Amino acid sequence: MIQAPIHSDTTQEIGNDVDLAAVSFDVDGQQILHDITFKTNAARVGIVGRNGSGKSTLARILAGLITPTSGVVRVNGHNLAKDRRAALAEVGILFQNPDHQIIFPTVIEELSFGLTQTGQSDPDAAGMAQETLNQFNKSHWRDANISTLSQGQKHLVCLMSVVAMAPKLLILDEPFAGLDIPTKTQLNRYLSHYSGSLLHITHDPADLQSYDHLIWLDQGAVQETGPCDQLLKSYQEKMNLIGGQDDISDLSD
Amino acid sequence: MISLTSPIRTRAHSWPAGLKLAGLCLSTVVLFFIKDLTAQVAIATVVATLYALPGRAFLAAGWRHLRGFWFFVLIVAIYHTAVGEIYEGAVILLRLLSAIALANLVTMTTKLTDMIKVVRFLAKPLTIFGLSSKILELSIALVIRLTPVLVEKGSLLSQSWRARSRRKTSWRIILPFTILALDDADYVAEALKARGGFTLLKEN
């Protein structure tokens, strides 16, 4: 059986080694990410930046879903773009839109799928999926049809599906954008119980208040890295400053 | 197929899906050889009785599922009245309705997972040609999962059209809808890759 990925006490969260060296990513000659270098093993890592700063691309590179044009990415020493089998144990990724993530029509099938992919037999996978539902007190969701769930509930299904696979690092790509305050608070509470480490990507400083290490991305490059308080303050100031200007007029080349 | 569910659990739910599908196959073939109106009326009555057996709620659900075919019934009826073949028209209509009703009956009383097991069994010979039954199953699940999503997207697109137009939604939304669907497919492919993709699927 997997180790319980959700815990209620205050167990120390474990960090993972995330190591990027001179990572760049181009699409059709246009540079999306430029010479990204950082190293961290904090348990709660946040990446902030404006829309279009390359945050989502970086999330996909970290998860090994796309290969950087140049540079080296290592998560706990693994090259996840090449080693997909290791990738499943190392990282899980939560996308912004649940309809882009949920593959199966019912909750139990969706949770079981990732587990069978890690080599579990069908009955074992179903058992472990049920176990995850129980941990979240959602055993009554088992046979629910995805199309009947609310948007917030779909987000929770995505979270449970990834948590069931117990990855060491959970990457969140603006996971709760557009949700109302109570739903967001409830989902954040589930997240805060996750015993693996988190890498949370967002444009909203409010999401990252209690995070250990932050990386600020601007126009595809690292603007600043550092502890939460200091970095969020300068980020907020800069965002307010730009907010007073009119760079929305600028068209990209 | 997505909405073809039964409001209650019937005795037929526990029958083997393969047997039900084989029975459906056979009865549909037999239906096509019967050209006598009295026999067709008798068969239609038997089918209606089958729907009535599990109770009123089931009969009502069955009727709702069948009602969607009124347009085809109308066209066949108009055609046969126009060419003056009332008797043949009645036979064809009853045959059509009995066949559809029987097919719906099987779908309503069979769980999707059981249906997929039959597909897996039937597709087994194809594995020598390299077709993975796991991929086939995944495709079926994807269609069922994403059809409501696409229907929703289509209706949103048509609402955006109507919000800025006095005319009805036209065929011109087909292209943006296609692009939308392809874009969605890209995202789902990525989500699939994030959880192992087809490579690990084949190994299992």
Side-chain angles (χ1 to χ4, degrees), chain A residues 153-165:
Chain A
Q153 289 170 333
K154 285 185 192 173
H155 275 277
L156 190 52
V157 169
C158 291
L159 179 62
M160 289 191 293
S161 306
V162 178
V163 164
M165 297 172 75

mmCIF file with all atom_site columns, all heavy atoms in Angstrom, chain A residues 153-165:
data_model
loop_
_atom_site.group_PDB
_atom_site.id
_atom_site.type_symbol
_atom_site.label_atom_id
_atom_site.label_alt_id
_atom_site.label_comp_id
_atom_site.label_asym_id
_atom_site.label_entity_id
_atom_site.label_seq_id
_atom_site.pdbx_PDB_ins_code
_atom_site.Cartn_x
_atom_site.Cartn_y
_atom_site.Cartn_z
_atom_site.occupancy
_atom_site.B_iso_or_equiv
_atom_site.pdbx_formal_charge
_atom_site.auth_seq_id
_atom_site.auth_comp_id
_atom_site.auth_asym_id
_atom_site.auth_atom_id
_atom_site.pdbx_PDB_model_num
ATOM 1  N N   . GLN A 1 153 ? -15.568 20.762 -7.312  1.00 0.00 ? 153 GLN A N   1
ATOM 2  C CA  . GLN A 1 153 ? -15.500 19.317 -7.086  1.00 0.00 ? 153 GLN A CA  1
ATOM 3  C C   . GLN A 1 153 ? -14.594 18.642 -8.104  1.00 0.00 ? 153 GLN A C   1
ATOM 4  O O   . GLN A 1 153 ? -13.839 17.729 -7.784  1.00 0.00 ? 153 GLN A O   1
ATOM 5  C CB  . GLN A 1 153 ? -16.907 18.709 -7.128  1.00 0.00 ? 153 GLN A CB  1
ATOM 6  C CG  . GLN A 1 153 ? -17.740 19.084 -5.908  1.00 0.00 ? 153 GLN A CG  1
ATOM 7  C CD  . GLN A 1 153 ? -19.203 18.703 -6.051  1.00 0.00 ? 153 GLN A CD  1
ATOM 8  O OE1 . GLN A 1 153 ? -19.740 18.612 -7.156  1.00 0.00 ? 153 GLN A OE1 1
ATOM 9  N NE2 . GLN A 1 153 ? -19.864 18.486 -4.929  1.00 0.00 ? 153 GLN A NE2 1
ATOM 10 N N   . LYS A 1 154 ? -14.655 19.142 -9.369  1.00 0.00 ? 154 LYS A N   1
ATOM 11 C CA  . LYS A 1 154 ? -13.766 18.586 -10.403 1.00 0.00 ? 154 LYS A CA  1
ATOM 12 C C   . LYS A 1 154 ? -12.312 18.844 -10.040 1.00 0.00 ? 154 LYS A C   1
ATOM 13 O O   . LYS A 1 154 ? -11.444 17.992 -10.234 1.00 0.00 ? 154 LYS A O   1
ATOM 14 C CB  . LYS A 1 154 ? -14.075 19.207 -11.768 1.00 0.00 ? 154 LYS A CB  1
ATOM 15 C CG  . LYS A 1 154 ? -15.330 18.688 -12.420 1.00 0.00 ? 154 LYS A CG  1
ATOM 16 C CD  . LYS A 1 154 ? -15.458 19.286 -13.811 1.00 0.00 ? 154 LYS A CD  1
ATOM 17 C CE  . LYS A 1 154 ? -16.833 19.028 -14.379 1.00 0.00 ? 154 LYS A CE  1
ATOM 18 N NZ  . LYS A 1 154 ? -17.041 19.738 -15.650 1.00 0.00 ? 154 LYS A NZ  1
ATOM 19 N N   . HIS A 1 155 ? -12.032 20.046 -9.500  1.00 0.00 ? 155 HIS A N   1
ATOM 20 C CA  . HIS A 1 155 ? -10.666 20.360 -9.067  1.00 0.00 ? 155 HIS A CA  1
ATOM 21 C C   . HIS A 1 155 ? -10.207 19.371 -8.003  1.00 0.00 ? 155 HIS A C   1
ATOM 22 O O   . HIS A 1 155 ? -9.061  18.922 -8.023  1.00 0.00 ? 155 HIS A O   1
ATOM 23 C CB  . HIS A 1 155 ? -10.603 21.783 -8.492  1.00 0.00 ? 155 HIS A CB  1
ATOM 24 C CG  . HIS A 1 155 ? -10.403 22.836 -9.530  1.00 0.00 ? 155 HIS A CG  1
ATOM 25 N ND1 . HIS A 1 155 ? -9.171  23.163 -10.024 1.00 0.00 ? 155 HIS A ND1 1
ATOM 26 C CD2 . HIS A 1 155 ? -11.284 23.632 -10.171 1.00 0.00 ? 155 HIS A CD2 1
ATOM 27 C CE1 . HIS A 1 155 ? -9.291  24.124 -10.926 1.00 0.00 ? 155 HIS A CE1 1
ATOM 28 N NE2 . HIS A 1 155 ? -10.572 24.425 -11.032 1.00 0.00 ? 155 HIS A NE2 1
ATOM 29 N N   . LEU A 1 156 ? -11.127 19.050 -7.079  1.00 0.00 ? 156 LEU A N   1
ATOM 30 C CA  . LEU A 1 156 ? -10.765 18.126 -6.006  1.00 0.00 ? 156 LEU A CA  1
ATOM 31 C C   . LEU A 1 156 ? -10.505 16.724 -6.562  1.00 0.00 ? 156 LEU A C   1
ATOM 32 O O   . LEU A 1 156 ? -9.588  16.025 -6.092  1.00 0.00 ? 156 LEU A O   1
ATOM 33 C CB  . LEU A 1 156 ? -11.870 18.101 -4.933  1.00 0.00 ? 156 LEU A CB  1
ATOM 34 C CG  . LEU A 1 156 ? -11.535 17.362 -3.645  1.00 0.00 ? 156 LEU A CG  1
ATOM 35 C CD1 . LEU A 1 156 ? -10.222 17.841 -3.039  1.00 0.00 ? 156 LEU A CD1 1
ATOM 36 C CD2 . LEU A 1 156 ? -12.652 17.525 -2.622  1.00 0.00 ? 156 LEU A CD2 1
ATOM 37 N N   . VAL A 1 157 ? -11.277 16.317 -7.588  1.00 0.00 ? 157 VAL A N   1
ATOM 38 C CA  . VAL A 1 157 ? -11.037 15.017 -8.231  1.00 0.00 ? 157 VAL A CA  1
ATOM 39 C C   . VAL A 1 157 ? -9.623  14.985 -8.825  1.00 0.00 ? 157 VAL A C   1
ATOM 40 O O   . VAL A 1 157 ? -8.876  14.012 -8.650  1.00 0.00 ? 157 VAL A O   1
ATOM 41 C CB  . VAL A 1 157 ? -12.089 14.723 -9.330  1.00 0.00 ? 157 VAL A CB  1
ATOM 42 C CG1 . VAL A 1 157 ? -11.680 13.519 -10.170 1.00 0.00 ? 157 VAL A CG1 1
ATOM 43 C CG2 . VAL A 1 157 ? -13.449 14.475 -8.710  1.00 0.00 ? 157 VAL A CG2 1
ATOM 44 N N   . CYS A 1 158 ? -9.233  16.094 -9.477  1.00 0.00 ? 158 CYS A N   1
ATOM 45 C CA  . CYS A 1 158 ? -7.882  16.175 -10.050 1.00 0.00 ? 158 CYS A CA  1
ATOM 46 C C   . CYS A 1 158 ? -6.842  16.040 -8.950  1.00 0.00 ? 158 CYS A C   1
ATOM 47 O O   . CYS A 1 158 ? -5.868  15.307 -9.087  1.00 0.00 ? 158 CYS A O   1
ATOM 48 C CB  . CYS A 1 158 ? -7.667  17.505 -10.767 1.00 0.00 ? 158 CYS A CB  1
ATOM 49 S SG  . CYS A 1 158 ? -8.628  17.656 -12.255 1.00 0.00 ? 158 CYS A SG  1
ATOM 50 N N   . LEU A 1 159 ? -7.077  16.748 -7.858  1.00 0.00 ? 159 LEU A N   1
ATOM 51 C CA  . LEU A 1 159 ? -6.123  16.718 -6.747  1.00 0.00 ? 159 LEU A CA  1
ATOM 52 C C   . LEU A 1 159 ? -6.019  15.301 -6.170  1.00 0.00 ? 159 LEU A C   1
ATOM 53 O O   . LEU A 1 159 ? -4.921  14.780 -5.963  1.00 0.00 ? 159 LEU A O   1
ATOM 54 C CB  . LEU A 1 159 ? -6.551  17.717 -5.654  1.00 0.00 ? 159 LEU A CB  1
ATOM 55 C CG  . LEU A 1 159 ? -5.666  17.771 -4.414  1.00 0.00 ? 159 LEU A CG  1
ATOM 56 C CD1 . LEU A 1 159 ? -4.260  18.219 -4.765  1.00 0.00 ? 159 LEU A CD1 1
ATOM 57 C CD2 . LEU A 1 159 ? -6.246  18.727 -3.367  1.00 0.00 ? 159 LEU A CD2 1
ATOM 58 N N   . MET A 1 160 ? -7.179  14.664 -5.962  1.00 0.00 ? 160 MET A N   1
ATOM 59 C CA  . MET A 1 160 ? -7.175  13.311 -5.390  1.00 0.00 ? 160 MET A CA  1
ATOM 60 C C   . MET A 1 160 ? -6.487  12.319 -6.331  1.00 0.00 ? 160 MET A C   1
ATOM 61 O O   . MET A 1 160 ? -5.763  11.435 -5.880  1.00 0.00 ? 160 MET A O   1
ATOM 62 C CB  . MET A 1 160 ? -8.603  12.857 -5.085  1.00 0.00 ? 160 MET A CB  1
ATOM 63 C CG  . MET A 1 160 ? -9.221  13.596 -3.909  1.00 0.00 ? 160 MET A CG  1
ATOM 64 S SD  . MET A 1 160 ? -10.777 12.864 -3.337  1.00 0.00 ? 160 MET A SD  1
ATOM 65 C CE  . MET A 1 160 ? -11.862 13.182 -4.707  1.00 0.00 ? 160 MET A CE  1
ATOM 66 N N   . SER A 1 161 ? -6.719  12.488 -7.660  1.00 0.00 ? 161 SER A N   1
ATOM 67 C CA  . SER A 1 161 ? -6.112  11.571 -8.629  1.00 0.00 ? 161 SER A CA  1
ATOM 68 C C   . SER A 1 161 ? -4.597  11.644 -8.563  1.00 0.00 ? 161 SER A C   1
ATOM 69 O O   . SER A 1 161 ? -3.912  10.631 -8.666  1.00 0.00 ? 161 SER A O   1
ATOM 70 C CB  . SER A 1 161 ? -6.550  11.910 -10.053 1.00 0.00 ? 161 SER A CB  1
ATOM 71 O OG  . SER A 1 161 ? -7.931  11.953 -10.131 1.00 0.00 ? 161 SER A OG  1
ATOM 72 N N   . VAL A 1 162 ? -4.080  12.875 -8.415  1.00 0.00 ? 162 VAL A N   1
ATOM 73 C CA  . VAL A 1 162 ? -2.625  13.040 -8.374  1.00 0.00 ? 162 VAL A CA  1
ATOM 74 C C   . VAL A 1 162 ? -2.084  12.572 -7.017  1.00 0.00 ? 162 VAL A C   1
ATOM 75 O O   . VAL A 1 162 ? -1.084  11.869 -6.955  1.00 0.00 ? 162 VAL A O   1
ATOM 76 C CB  . VAL A 1 162 ? -2.236  14.511 -8.660  1.00 0.00 ? 162 VAL A CB  1
ATOM 77 C CG1 . VAL A 1 162 ? -0.738  14.690 -8.575  1.00 0.00 ? 162 VAL A CG1 1
ATOM 78 C CG2 . VAL A 1 162 ? -2.722  14.920 -10.036 1.00 0.00 ? 162 VAL A CG2 1
ATOM 79 N N   . VAL A 1 163 ? -2.796  12.933 -5.940  1.00 0.00 ? 163 VAL A N   1
ATOM 80 C CA  . VAL A 1 163 ? -2.369  12.541 -4.591  1.00 0.00 ? 163 VAL A CA  1
ATOM 81 C C   . VAL A 1 163 ? -2.340  11.008 -4.451  1.00 0.00 ? 163 VAL A C   1
ATOM 82 O O   . VAL A 1 163 ? -1.459  10.444 -3.814  1.00 0.00 ? 163 VAL A O   1
ATOM 83 C CB  . VAL A 1 163 ? -3.283  13.180 -3.520  1.00 0.00 ? 163 VAL A CB  1
ATOM 84 C CG1 . VAL A 1 163 ? -3.114  12.502 -2.175  1.00 0.00 ? 163 VAL A CG1 1
ATOM 85 C CG2 . VAL A 1 163 ? -2.981  14.666 -3.396  1.00 0.00 ? 163 VAL A CG2 1
ATOM 86 N N   . ALA A 1 164 ? -3.307  10.333 -5.097  1.00 0.00 ? 164 ALA A N   1
ATOM 87 C CA  . ALA A 1 164 ? -3.371  8.869  -5.030  1.00 0.00 ? 164 ALA A CA  1
ATOM 88 C C   . ALA A 1 164 ? -2.067  8.239  -5.517  1.00 0.00 ? 164 ALA A C   1
ATOM 89 O O   . ALA A 1 164 ? -1.654  7.185  -5.033  1.00 0.00 ? 164 ALA A O   1
ATOM 90 C CB  . ALA A 1 164 ? -4.539  8.355  -5.866  1.00 0.00 ? 164 ALA A CB  1
ATOM 91 N N   . MET A 1 165 ? -1.412  8.891  -6.482  1.00 0.00 ? 165 MET A N   1
ATOM 92 C CA  . MET A 1 165 ? -0.165  8.359  -7.029  1.00 0.00 ? 165 MET A CA  1
ATOM 93 C C   . MET A 1 165 ? 1.023   8.689  -6.122  1.00 0.00 ? 165 MET A C   1
ATOM 94 O O   . MET A 1 165 ? 2.142   8.237  -6.385  1.00 0.00 ? 165 MET A O   1
ATOM 95 C CB  . MET A 1 165 ? 0.079   8.921  -8.424  1.00 0.00 ? 165 MET A CB  1
ATOM 96 C CG  . MET A 1 165 ? -0.993  8.514  -9.427  1.00 0.00 ? 165 MET A CG  1
ATOM 97 S SD  . MET A 1 165 ? -0.819  9.381  -11.005 1.00 0.00 ? 165 MET A SD  1
ATOM 98 C CE  . MET A 1 165 ? 0.584   8.509  -11.705 1.00 0.00 ? 165 MET A CE  1
#
